[in-house]
């Protein structure tokens, strides 16, 4: 059997196992073990445990559970509510101010936890009911939270960027720097759309009322807060700002490694929730650590099995042959980038970000580098594609989170709500391609 046929068979078996509903780690592992048994010497099976241990024996992997602890500590308290309430009170005069406050809440929470579903659940649990109560349509409320939650894997610290850095041997610090401006810019575009949409809905509602139309038209309600009410929420917001500032300073000031910074963040988050939210009883701490253990074990298992999956691909020369074939195809670098983005978009509709990064990156990255693209820049482009996958059916993880938060909202309303944000993200990828300096400015500035 030739390398092409072997590669197609390997991919086909893996996809069948993944779509069967089997957990991702077990699907990747089962496929790899089967091909090791039939197509590789028996010695490789005997060294399986040593191979897996060698791949996981990486100190940088410690950043994952530590950043998850930080996110769990914030997510198990009223932190998300305080973030969102503070932002809303200070921006209440702006059209769509509550929606913008939710975007800000997602942005700040993303900088504290690095997880998209956690950001979506934490902010959405409070934000969606409040927006619906204040006149926002179901589509806008759910679409905004689903899209805003994706910022969790783009704004550092990002677990997705950590995994990309590990598999491509790129600097995680530079990847974190590269994600700051794109993350904030994408959040700005989300907020700008909310302001535009809210202004339009308010104008249409006023026109309907003036025309004597009794049809109920969903439009955001405008509220007012005094200066005293605005300042009284700041004491609960400042600790989070301080924690983010400490992490950013330590990370980009060269004080420690990413793993050490993650330790500082985890300790700071636990201290913050203990002092501010009185979250120091055993039941509270147990919930944080138990949630962290479950999520960390799931991610580590996926990483271990994905390493085994790519090891088999490399041994059977599937990766090398695919990379050589892609490099030999006569197309411009922009055509290559276009088809890579299409591939990532399609895979994102069915597979979670971690699986896509670990399975696909070894194949497409050589072509990206050969075409003159910066691997740090591509890491951000890939991450935005992963964000798209989180809100595109049928397996958009954030869509399931939103449905869990608001089970009474119909699926078609949720899907209708995310469509504008899908187009915003697609346009944003094109913007990053035309102006790569958006991504590379900070890594080059700090690294120089």
């Amino acid at each position: 059997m030739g390398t092409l046929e072997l590669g197609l068979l390997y991919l086909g078996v893996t996809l069948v196992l993944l779509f069967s509903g089997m957990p991702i780690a077990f699907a990747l592992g089962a496929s790899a073990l089967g091909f090791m048994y039939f197509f590789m010497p028996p010695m490789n099976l005997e060294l399986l445990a040593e191979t897996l241990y060698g791949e996981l024996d990486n100190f940088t992997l410690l950043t994952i559970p530590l950043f998850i602890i930080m996110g769990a500590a914030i997510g198990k308290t009223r932190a998300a509510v305080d973030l969102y309430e503070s932002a809303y009170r200070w921006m209440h005069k702006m059209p769509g101010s509550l929606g913008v406050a939710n975007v800000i809440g997602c942005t700040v929470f993303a900088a504290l936890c690095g997880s998209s579903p956690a950001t979506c659940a934490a902010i959405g649990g409070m934000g969606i009911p409040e927006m619906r109560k204040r006149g926002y349509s179901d589509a806008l409320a759910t679409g905004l939270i689903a899209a805003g939650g994706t910022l969790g894997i783009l704004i550092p610290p990002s677990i997705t960027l950590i995994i990309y850095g590990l598999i491509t041997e790129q600097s995680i610090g530079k990847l974190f720097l590269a994600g700051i401006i794109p993350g904030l810019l994408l959040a700005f575009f989300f907020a700008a759309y909310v302001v535009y949409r809210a202004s339009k809905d308010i104008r249409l509602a006023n026109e309907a009322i003036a025309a004597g139309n009794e049809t109920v038209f969903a439009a955001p309600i405008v509220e007012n807060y005094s200066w005293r009410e605005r300042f009284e929420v700041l004491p609960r917001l400042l600790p989070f700002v301080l924690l983010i500032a400490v992490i950013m300073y330590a990370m980009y000031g060269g004080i420690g490694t990413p793993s050490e910074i993650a330790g500082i963040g985890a300790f700071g988050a636990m201290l913050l929730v203990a002092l501010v939210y009185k979250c120091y009883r055993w039941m509270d701490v147990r919930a944080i650590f138990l949630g962290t253990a479950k999520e960390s074990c799931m991610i580590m298992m996926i990483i271990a099995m994905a390493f085994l999956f790519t090891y088999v691909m490399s041994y059977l020369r599937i990766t090398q042959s695919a990379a050589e074939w892609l490099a030999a195809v006569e197309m411009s670098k922009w055509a290559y980038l276009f088809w890579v983005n299409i591939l990532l978009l399609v895979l994102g509709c069915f597979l979670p970000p971690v699986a896509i990064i670990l399975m696909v990156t070894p194949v497409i990255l050589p072509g990206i580098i050969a075409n003159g693209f910066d691997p740090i820049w591509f890491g951000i482009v890939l991450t935005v594609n992963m964000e798209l996958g989180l809100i595109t059916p049928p397996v958009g993880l954030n869509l399931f989170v939103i449905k869990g938060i608001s089970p009474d909202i119909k699926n078609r309303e949720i899907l209708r709500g995310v469509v504008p944000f899908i187009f915003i993200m697609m346009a944003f990828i094109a913007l990053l391609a035309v102006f790569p300096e958006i991504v590379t400015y900070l890594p080059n500035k700090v690294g120089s």
Side-chain angles (χ1 to χ4, degrees), residues 8 41 43 48 89 134 230 317 338 370 380 388-389 412:
L8 292 174
M43 181 182 66
L48 178 61
R89 290 194 184 185
R134 287 173 169 84
R230 283 184 247 182
R317 288 198 55 79
F338 172 80
I380 303 303
L388 267 171
R412 68 170 179 268

Side-chain angles (χ1 to χ4, degrees), residues 311-378:
Y311 167 73
V312 173
M313 286 181 66
S314 179
Y315 188 93
L316 297 176
R317 288 198 55 79
I318 296 172
T319 304
Q320 296 90 322
S321 298
E324 290 169 2
W325 178 80
L326 287 172
V329 174
E330 293 186 2
M331 65 173 76
S332 69
K333 69 174 190 176
W334 298 112
Y336 179 81
L337 181 64
F338 172 80
W339 288 113
V340 164
N341 278 286
I342 293 296
L343 172 65
L344 294 173
L345 177 61
V346 172
L347 291 176
C349 293
F350 301 98
L351 299 174
V354 174
I356 296 173
I357 292 172
L358 292 169
M359 289 172 57
V360 177
T361 303
V363 176
I364 61 177
L365 190 64
I368 289 292
I369 296 174
N371 279 290
F373 293 111
D374 185 345
I376 296 290
W377 170 86
F378 180 69

Side-chain angles (χ1 to χ4, degrees), residues 6 53 76 153 203 230 272 338 372 381 415 420 429 432:
L6 192 61
Y53 179 79
K76 298 292 182 182
I153 63 171
R203 177 176 56 80
R230 283 184 247 182
L272 188 152
F338 172 80
V381 171
L415 294 176
I429 292 173
L432 296 183

Side-chain angles (χ1 to χ4, degrees), residues 40-88:
M40 294 170 63
M43 181 182 66
N44 288 278
L45 283 172
E46 296 172 4
L47 297 175
L48 178 61
E50 184 179 342
T51 301
L52 289 176
Y53 179 79
E55 295 290 357
L56 291 176
D57 186 20
N58 189 329
F59 190 70
T60 307
L61 284 173
L62 187 60
T63 57
I64 294 175
L66 289 174
F67 278 134
I68 291 175
I69 285 179
M70 189 169 74
I74 304 298
K76 298 292 182 182
T77 65
R78 280 183 50 85
V81 177
D82 288 340
L83 288 172
Y84 139 89
E85 181 68 21
S86 301
Y88 177 50

